[in-house]
Amino acid sequence: MTDLVHNMDKPVSLWRDAWDRLVKNKLAVIGLVMVVVLFLAAIFGPYLTPYDFLSQNLDDRNLPMSWAHWFGTDDLGRDVFSRVLYGARTAFFVAIVVTIIAVILGAALGVLAGYVGGSTDRFIMWLSDVTMSIPNLLLVVVINTSIKPPLARWMETQYLETLNPIYRNTMWIDFILVFGSMALITWPPYARLMRAQVLSIRSRPYVTAAKAIGLPARQIMWRHIAPNALGPLIVAVSAGLGTAMVLESAFSFLGVGVTP
């Protein structure tokens, strides 16, 4: 009886319910711990490793794994473990930012398409079909090759006029183009998922009651429909983070992503 009263005193919310279910799932907790450890290693690992990820030692080329070099060394004698930790920072950064942009864009368009319907729904779904029909690599190559050179020339001009060293660092162009191009090719699945959820939710009694009391459509979409459609979207986001990392590494390997 005491436990029942104690549980009734807890505030009820979507996030608390999700957290309670998470901590009861041991495999999910183990997976969460692994992700947190990798995330912390990506942030603080480069400061803890005994080697600089750029330092070369030709006498220690292609060494196997050992206590001195956990992952061995490469052709230039650089410590592979240090380079992996430093590279993980870029992978996590790109994956998180790209996924956030794609989810916000896809969720907004999906909710709009599912709730408004009609020509709006048809146009958004047509746009997602067109986006998904274009090969990912082709779209990223076109965006990078058409936009990067003018931006690089503009930054060079700004540096010559202002002598501000920030304009000499073109790394930000790579990040901006990667964020934008990858978000453009990854938003359609989130939009389709949210649209399907909204189509099943918009006829629920609480939505009908919100319409009956005269709430505006925008308030109904973002306060009553969208929060109740987030469950499958959160699952999709967890898988989308890994997909974004793989895409970023593939594009960088082909020379159209983040440069070394």
Side-chain angles (χ1 to χ4, degrees), residues 56-58 60-63 73-78 80:
Q56 302 178 13
N57 187 352
L58 298 181
D60 294 334
R61 291 180 296 174
N62 299 320
L63 293 179
T73 59
D74 61 7
D75 293 339
L76 298 176
R78 297 173 296 189
V80 176

Side-chain angles (χ1 to χ4, degrees), residues 33-46 48 85 92:
V33 171
M34 293 175 63
V35 171
V36 171
V37 169
L38 291 175
F39 185 71
L40 294 177
I43 296 177
F44 301 107
L48 303 177
L85 287 181
F92 269 99

